[in-house]
Every structure is written in structure tokens, then in C-alpha cells.
Amino acid sequence: MRGPRALLATVLVCEAIVIALAIPVAVAVLKVDGGLAGLVCGGLAVVCVLMAGLLRFPWGVAAGSVLQVAVIATGFMVPTMFGLGILFGVLWAGSIWLGRKAEKAQAR
């Protein structure tokens, strides 16, 4: 799955930015402990950026798919992340689909 890597990496980096921006919302608005919010959201943001670089490995797309579930789960801390996580999951799935479609077109 070489084709969609750039698109998938873009989704992950944008996702990292959104997750990182959820930290101040969790702390200031929802009164979540700053250490917990930083650990969970900050940790996931770092993992998203790292996964963007690890997409070159055969297991990268599968690991990124598991990461999408973890991002949706941040909705238990910041409820808006349920919707945003689902949105990024749809972007992730769409990127995989478009990448496979492009690979088939190039093979012809």
C-alpha cells in the first residue's frame, strides 16, 4: 500500500494537531486534570506524528487504524472528540480506499 502513504500521513499529522488542541479545552473548560489531559492527548498526538513516519512499514496502516479507535476514545475526556475522532476515522478509511483505487489505476 505505497500509494496512499502521503495522504494517510497528512491525516495523522492533522489529527495530532486537533488532539493537541483538545488539551487546553479539557483543562480549562471541562476541568480535567492537566497532567492526565497532557498524558492522554499529548501522548496520542505524539504517537500520531510517529505513526505518520512509520507508514512505510507493512504494519503501519493497520497500526494507524488501531490508533483511530484510540482517538475516538478520547471522547470520554473531551466529548467533542467523539465526533472529531469519527471524522478522522472516515478520512483515514477514505484515504485507504482512494489509495487502493489509485494503485489499481496505475497498474492498468
Side-chain angles (χ1 to χ4, degrees), residues 42-83:
L44 274 176
V46 169
V47 170
C48 282
V49 172
L50 291 174
M51 275 308 308
L54 295 173
L55 287 172
R56 66 181 175 265
F57 295 107
W59 49 266
V61 175
S65 298
V66 171
L67 183 59
Q68 299 308 308
V69 175
V71 171
I72 293 169
T74 60
F76 290 108
M77 184 180 300
V78 180
T80 305
M81 288 303 295
F82 281 126

Side-chain angles (χ1 to χ4, degrees), residues 23-38:
I23 297 170
V25 172
V27 173
V29 177
L30 301 172
K31 307 298 184 214
V32 175
D33 178 61
L36 178 64

